[in-house]
Amino acid sequence: MLEIKDLHVKAGDKEILHGINLKVKAGEVHSIMGPNGSGKSTLAQVLAGRESYEVTAGQITYEGKDLLQIAPEDRARLGIFMAFQYPVEIPGVSNTYFLKAALNAIRKERGEEEVDALDFLNLVKEKMELLKIDEKLISRPVNEGFSGGEKKRNEIFQLAVLEPKLAILDETDSGLDIDALKVVAHGVNSLRSKDRAFIVVTHYQRILNYIIPDYVHVLYDGRVVKSGGKQLAIELEKKGYSWLGEETVSAQLVN
Amino acid sequence: MPTETKQIQDLASQEYKYGFYTDIEADSIPAGLNEDVIALISAKKNEPEFMLEWRLKAYRHWLTMKEPKWPNVHYPPIDYQGIVYYSAPKKKDSPKSLDEVDPELLETYRKLGIPLGEQELLAGVAVDAVFDSVSVATTFKEKLAELGIIFCSFSEAVGDHPELVKQYLGSVVPYTDNFFASLNSAVFSDGSFCYIPEGVRCPMELSTYFRINAKNTGQFERTLIIAEKGSYVSYLEGCTAPMRDENQLHAAVVELIAHDDAQIKYSTIQNWYPGDDEGKGGIYNFVTKRGKCLGRNSKISWTQVETGSAITWKYPSCILLGDNSIGEFYSVALTKKRQQADTGTKMIHIGKNTRSTVISKGISAGHGQNTYRGLIKISKSATGARNYTQCDSMLIGDQCGAHTFPYIEIKNSTAQMEHEASTSKIGEDQMFYCQSRGLSAEDAVSMIVNGFCKKVFKELPMEFAVEADRLLSVNLEGSVG
């Protein structure tokens, strides 16, 4: 589904990603872990099409298409979704209105009919129950005055309604208490399917107790320094990230 | 190039949809202004003596005045002798019913989305259509008359109800008020007149649709609305003009009078031609609008959506004279291209326990300059007065400007005032968030802007809210790369 080859990315004058390689197949859950400043969020944002990052080398192929040539809204319409680390407030625009417009833009791309108000309402109700979302939340303006936890939950709610093929969670777990985390994880797990892939970007291993990944990749200083199964996450939790740094440095010295 | 930047550059290049011109034979007087011209206008309208006298007093006063320089707008000097002060579509006889109105005119209004023909009248909205200097048609007149409501052109009111005109004309905006109001008082040619009798709730929206058509012509209309005790009226106003390279002056005066327990709701969608990308052409919209809450518990509310004109200079205001009276001002002003707007309100609290609310939303895009200017005045007598003001500005792009000049004068220590202000920018973050959910950049901008204006839009009557929403979207549309 997704293949990243030797991806180099700059923000301003500074190169942040120094050659990332990653393959994600439909149905898989990949976790990208790493310390602060390692480039995890940059990777997520580049996948979603943030234009403030400059791709200087490398390729990203999504379902056979050159993803880097596709505008952010078209990526969304082709089934890519990113749950934001810091969801943005849009005052005065109701959550329902926003989500309906988004869903219809995506359905149009797929050649499906626009949903009418009643069908949309039923869909929304179903997903609200799934994510234990308060009805009041969705009639309020997008993220305006939401608590940190509400914002994160709202992102997963959008994910559930929009049903993307590739979902990227950018540190969705940070700032969530354990109950909210469980709700979010439950939501994600119920959306797992053989047609849908997840990339879970996180700083902490904790969320991976609830969303069990197929693969774990460790990002350190803009490179994937280690890949493995879910046990790698547990190892990281015990040892922290710093030993990886030493390992990378010594590996570089040897080379 | 970041999408936002690209889009902002495209914002300026919008086509103006109402820029067509109707080729119709007109009865125009030569350009220029003097006492003979004023006498000629008055004669053309068969006015009684008191009107001519009033006009001449205004003119003589105007001669002593200077054009105001304090607004935050810039334009070359206006040649007041180069303006045609009267232009009317030629007609054989004055039309007795809508069927006799020149088909060319009906077609013009149909193109503007304002059907006047008997077959296609908008349900629930009575329209007075003002074309250049004259009112060409007024719909639902008879139906309204059954309730005692007078809704007609100003000229007809002068002829048929001179006592009302004499009593109220200039009672809110005197002919000495300001440069443009004095000019209007001298030369105004037509406009709308509404009178709602005691205890009557006007069953439909009353509206006036202003159209400037002829070249080099100024439009100087006057609207007078009187709401008697316990009555209610909702009035709408819309405006468009053809695209021309020259600037045209529109200097109108609106006076509202609300007696005890009466309510007047006045809504405007102003979409005069804004000029081209370089700022050539467009309407100078220099307008004085004021309402007087004369009676106890009366209420006047102004709602305006200002998207057109090269320059807008207007401050729809309320004089809160009656005890417990209420004044409201809800405004959305959008400036793009080279448009300039200096707009806001004055709330003059005189009566006891008077209340006012001001919500102003300014949006600047392209090279637009948007100024909010507002005065809240609490007089010594206004014990228990309250005001809430919120003025927010939104900037789209980095070539535009937003300015806020709030004036507050308080002479009574019991006053309660609240003032909130904010300036925001449509950020790349908001745009990216919307786009990453599948919305196009265009839809994202219009959604964000509409959200920003929501508090004002919800004050508009239903048909107008849809229109306003659409108008903003069209105005902000840009092909996005």
Side-chain angles (χ1 to χ4, degrees), chain B residues 79-125:
Chain B
D79 174 12
Y80 290 96
Q81 295 303 333
I83 296 173
V84 174
Y85 287 88
Y86 184 88
S87 175
K90 227 172 215 167
K91 51 191 175 188
K92 288 112 213 161
D93 293 301
S94 59
K96 286 183 189 61
S97 77
L98 284 167
D99 302 333
E100 292 173 32
V101 175
D102 190 327
E104 192 74 39
L105 285 173
L106 292 182
E107 176 60 20
T108 300
Y109 282 91
R110 203 190 52 76
K111 260 163 100 176
L112 296 168
I114 315 289
L116 296 176
E118 292 282 13
Q119 305 306 317
E120 39 180 3
L121 285 180
L122 294 167
V125 183

Side-chain angles (χ1 to χ4, degrees), chain A residues 69-86:
Chain A
Q69 295 303 316
I70 301 174
E73 60 268 37
D74 291 324
R75 295 185 194 194
R77 293 169 193 173
L78 292 171
I80 294 180
F81 178 94
M82 178 175 77
F84 280 59
Q85 186 180 0
Y86 303 109

Side-chain angles (χ1 to χ4, degrees), chain A residues 50-51 77 82 155 158, chain B residues 3 429 432-433 437-438 454:
Chain A
R50 187 87 175 199
E51 296 189 27
R77 293 169 193 173
M82 178 175 77
E155 292 292 289
Q158 291 183 8
Chain B
T3 318
D429 284 351
F432 180 61
Y433 190 73
R437 296 296 178 256
K454 195 161 202 178

Side-chain angles (χ1 to χ4, degrees), chain B residues 450-471:
Chain B
N450 279 310
F452 177 72
C453 301
K454 195 161 202 178
K455 263 193 170 172
V456 174
F457 285 176
K458 74 177 179 42
E459 295 298 325
L460 288 169
M462 193 56 180
E463 311 80 9
F464 252 35
V466 175
E467 164 85 8
D469 197 271
R470 197 190 53 75
L471 192 62

Side-chain angles (χ1 to χ4, degrees), chain B residues 168-359:
Chain B
Y168 290 106
L169 177 69
S171 69
V172 187
V173 181
Y175 66 79
T176 51
D177 195 80
N178 69 71
F179 186 83
F180 296 108
S182 296
L183 177 63
N184 172 287
S185 304
V187 303
F188 78 93
S189 42
D190 215 334
S192 299
F193 177 88
C194 317
Y195 176 85
I196 317 293
E198 191 171 331
V200 171
R201 191 182 167 88
C202 185
M204 55 176 77
E205 310 277 351
L206 302 186
S207 77
T208 303
Y209 197 89
F210 294 104
R211 174 79 177 163
I212 297 179
N213 189 60
K215 208 174 165 173
N216 295 329
T217 304
Q219 191 176 51
F220 305 91
E221 84 278 356
R222 226 176 151 99
T223 300
L224 180 56
I225 300 175
I226 302 144
E228 288 285 7
K229 275 184 191 171
S231 67
Y232 168 88
V233 63
S234 168
Y235 183 89
L236 323 172
E237 172 193 71
C239 351
T240 57
M243 292 197 267
R244 292 186 189 287
D245 287 347
E246 305 82 29
N247 294 107
Q248 282 179 284
L249 179 62
H250 172 254
V253 172
V254 175
E255 296 180 280
L256 313 180
I257 295 113
H259 288 281
D260 289 356
D261 305 300
Q263 255 192 63
I264 303 175
K265 188 174 168 61
Y266 194 106
S267 315
T268 304
I269 290 200
Q270 186 264 105
N271 190 22
W272 295 118
Y273 176 53
D276 69 8
D277 293 352
E278 271 72 54
K280 200 172 184 192
I283 302 290
Y284 292 160
N285 190 38
F286 299 157
V287 171
T288 306
K289 291 184 169 176
R290 200 174 300 155
K292 199 190 257 182
C293 283
L294 199 59
R296 293 173 59 88
N297 311 315
S298 57
K299 178 177 173 183
I300 289 178
S301 66
W302 298 100
T303 307
Q304 60 171 19
V305 177
E306 303 279 320
T307 61
S309 296
I311 302 177
T312 295
W313 178 95
K314 72 182 245 201
Y315 315 90
S317 303
C318 297
I319 300 171
L320 303 170
L321 207 59
D323 291 347
N324 313 320
S325 60
I326 299 172
E328 293 174 336
F329 174 75
Y330 301 96
S331 170
V332 166
L334 169 72
T335 54
K336 56 183 194 301
K337 299 186 180 186
R338 304 269 168 181
Q339 282 176 276
Q340 309 171 59
D342 191 313
T343 184
T345 185
K346 288 189 275 185
M347 292 291 172
I348 314 292
H349 292 253
I350 299 169
K352 289 189 182 61
N353 303 316
T354 45
R355 278 176 288 157
S356 62
T357 304
V358 176
I359 310 274

Side-chain angles (χ1 to χ4, degrees), chain B residues 131-145:
Chain B
F131 192 84
D132 289 332
S133 303
V134 294
S135 165
V136 292
T138 310
T139 64
F140 289 115
K141 244 158 108 171
E142 289 77 21
K143 205 171 164 213
L144 292 166

